[in-house]
């Protein structure tokens, strides 16, 4: 019987802020470091994890710094005319065609990735294991940030949205699944508690056809803060290693400045190398 506690890797989303996690996980690949039993990602964090588990070094860096900076992906004029501010379908199609994922390596490792989505009907978080046959629909759904992406992609016939609404940092879910040694990669500089700046009546009006989901959208900050509290105050039987950008991390959700992105990537890479070194001591 193996009494070794399960180890999990959790990666937060954040659109272009995913460049930090990209650097962290590229550092892990450089050191051939993967001691995890399972992984859980949210939004861009799921994409970054998929590249890591497929052992596609620097693939996510290319996706973010080349494809995601394109006007075909982020387009304010299109949004003003009623279209999507971010075109997730275009980004997936272009990146997968030009930078194929080595899915065979993901499958052969036997380390599952659970991508987090938000169920539109129930408002609950769904943690769906990534498989070859659901890869496209699931990766689109987990990244489908509401408002800026106007569609609700379907996974197995169920309408979904960005997983960060229902569970912004699924570290508690990792614990619930048996992990007692959890590494979590965050995407906000210094990872401070957050306050809601939403206007409730306006949010409810925007999501009037999906009221349950709208209520979850209104309360997402409370779940983010709950996860941060759990990270800072883990149960006695659990060790949590948080890899967090420092104050020099200047990336916002839609940052396209390549110099800032490169700096954010290197911050992540150095943080990843440090984490591996500390774990190996």
């Amino acid at each position: 019987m193996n009494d070794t506690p399960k180890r999990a890797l959790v990666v937060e989303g954040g659109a272009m802020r995913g460049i930090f996690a990209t650097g962290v996980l590229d550092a892990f690949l450089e050191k051939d470091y993967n001691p995890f039993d399972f992984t859980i990602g949210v939004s861009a964090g799921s994409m970054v994890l998929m590249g890591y588990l497929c052992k596609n070094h620097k693939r996510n860096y290319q996706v973010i710094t080349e494809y995601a900076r394109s006007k075909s992906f982020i387009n304010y004029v299109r949004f003003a005319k009623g279209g999507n501010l971010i075109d997730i379908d275009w980004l997936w199609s272009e990146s997968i065609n030009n930078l194929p994922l080595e899915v065979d390596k993901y499958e052969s490792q036997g380390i599952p990735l659970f991508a987090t989505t938000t169920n539109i009907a129930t408002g609950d978080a769904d943690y769906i294991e990534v498989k070859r046959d659901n890869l496209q629909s699931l990766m689109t759904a987990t990244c489908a940030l509401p408002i800026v992406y106007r569609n609700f992609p379907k996974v197995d016939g169920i309408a979904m949205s960005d997983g960060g609404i229902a569970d912004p940092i699924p570290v508690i879910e990792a614990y619930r699944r048996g992990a007692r040694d959890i590494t979590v990669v965050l995407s906000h500089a210094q990872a401070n508690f957050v306050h809601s700046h939403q206007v409730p009546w306006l949010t409810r009006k925007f999501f009037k056809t999906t009221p349950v989901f709208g209520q979850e959208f209104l309360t997402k900050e409370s779940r983010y803060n709950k996860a941060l509290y759990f990270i800072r105050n883990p149960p006695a039987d659990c060790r949590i290693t948080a890899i967090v950008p420092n104050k020099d991390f200047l990336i916002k959700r839609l940052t396209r400045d390549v110099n800032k992105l490169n700096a954010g990537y290197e911050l992540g890479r150095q943080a990843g190398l440090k984490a591996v070194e500390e774990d190996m001591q």
Side-chain angles (χ1 to χ4, degrees), residues 22-180:
T22 294
V24 172
L25 298 193
D26 274 353
F28 286 6
L29 285 174
E30 290 166 22
K31 295 297 182 180
D32 195 25
Y33 177 79
N34 190 348
F36 308 106
D37 296 293
F38 66 91
T39 67
I40 308 180
V42 181
S43 191
S46 297
M47 287 295 301
V48 174
L49 274 169
M50 194 63 197
Y52 167 64
L53 293 170
C54 290
K55 297 186 177 183
N56 287 143
H57 182 257
K58 294 206 82 169
R59 179 187 186 273
N60 292 311
Y61 169 81
Q62 287 184 265
V63 171
I64 293 173
T65 59
E66 297 176 22
Y67 296 91
R69 292 176 57 242
S70 168
K71 288 184 179 179
S72 295
F73 178 55
I74 302 174
N75 192 310
Y76 292 92
V77 173
R78 181 178 62 211
F79 186 62
K81 293 180 178 180
N84 294 316
L85 175 57
I86 58 173
D87 190 339
I88 298 169
D89 303 293
W90 177 88
L91 183 65
W92 173 265
S93 176
E94 287 296 304
S95 62
I96 204 70
N97 287 335
N98 293 293
L99 302 169
L101 284 163
E102 298 183 57
V103 181
D104 288 345
K105 292 182 179 179
Y106 166 64
E107 293 172 333
S108 66
Q109 287 188 91
I111 301 170
L113 164 59
F114 297 95
T116 309
T117 62
T118 301
N119 188 305
I120 297 301
T122 66
D124 294 333
D126 286 355
Y127 310 93
I128 305 171
E129 184 174 353
V130 177
K131 303 282 189 178
R132 187 183 291 266
D133 60 358
N134 68 7
L135 179 60
Q136 178 174 349
S137 61
L138 189 48
M139 288 298 160
T140 301
T142 188
C143 294
L145 189 68
I147 300 175
V148 297
Y149 181 75
R150 300 181 188 274
N151 305 324
F152 291 135
K154 291 185 178 181
V155 180
D156 294 329
I158 300 172
M160 298 287 187
S161 186
D162 188 292
I165 306 304
D167 193 352
I169 314 171
V171 63
I172 297 173
E173 177 63 17
Y175 181 81
R176 189 188 70 79
R177 288 175 179 264
R180 294 298 179 266

Side-chain angles (χ1 to χ4, degrees), residues 175-186:
Y175 181 81
R176 189 188 70 79
R177 288 175 179 264
R180 294 298 179 266
D181 190 337
I182 304 170
T183 298
V184 55
V185 183
L186 301 177

